[in-house]
Amino acid sequence: MTRVWMLPVLFLLCGSLVAAGSISDGKPVKAAVFLLLFVLFAAAHSPLVFPRTTEASEAQRRSAADGRPIVYWRPGCRYCLRLRLRLGRRARQLYWVDIWRDPAGAAVVRAANDGNETVPTVVVAGRPFVNPDPAWVREQLSPSA
């Protein structure tokens, strides 16, 4: 659990230090801007941006039933964030598995990537695709879902 929040907390600490330095230099506006930027970076790299995570076994069961893709991801991954942001509201239609929280999910990713934990790995109909184009992932979703 703490591993997931290390990068966002690091962003917040760095932002606080930069803001404190700007305030001590008598530049409160600059401090506020820097602090806001670091808070945004922290939020973007936190699990808060992603839809609710599911365990790998549950995601696989549900995907087999309704055909929706499974996205294996981890916090701090810029490619996962890119996929999430480019999917927009449709991201909620996929099953998201955080490989740092779910060892079974990490094992699925390693099996698909020659032992590497390369994310995002999207599984569609049992076939893994590593870092696919978000437009392609959007096409895999049914229009009525």
Side-chain angles (χ1 to χ4, degrees):
M1 182 70 167
T2 57
R3 183 176 176 186
V4 172
W5 289 99
M6 281 183 9
L7 188 59
V9 168
L10 185 63
F11 275 126
L12 291 176
L13 289 174
C14 289
S16 299
L17 289 173
V18 170
S22 293
I23 287 175
S24 69
D25 289 343
K27 300 176 183 175
V29 174
K30 184 178 178 182
V33 169
F34 274 122
L35 190 56
L36 178 63
L37 284 174
F38 277 93
V39 166
L40 290 174
F41 285 143
H45 287 87
S46 77
L48 300 175
V49 176
F50 292 87
R52 190 173 67 85
T53 192
T54 309
E55 289 185 9
S57 58
E58 181 68 13
Q60 290 166 351
R61 185 185 67 74
R62 289 181 181 179
S63 179
D66 62 17
R68 291 195 224 169
I70 303 170
V71 179
Y72 294 93
W73 70 285
R74 66 172 171 75
C77 169
R78 67 177 156 207
Y79 303 106
C80 298
L81 181 62
R82 174 182 150 257
L83 176 64
R84 166 60 185 101
L85 294 176
R86 299 255 323 264
L87 288 174
R89 298 181 86 176
R90 300 210 56 197
R92 295 181 195 151
Q93 296 174 8
L94 289 91
Y95 299 111
W96 293 78
V97 178
D98 181 349
I99 66 168
W100 280 358
R101 287 188 179 180
D102 188 354
V108 169
V109 171
R110 283 192 302 272
N113 295 299
D114 298 323
N116 297 315
E117 290 186 353
T118 308
V119 289
T121 297
V122 179
V123 176
V124 178
R127 286 195 57 211
F129 299 89
V130 180
N131 197 15
D133 184 79
W136 179 85
V137 175
R138 203 174 306 113
E139 291 172 6
Q140 304 311 305
L141 298 171
S142 64
S144 62

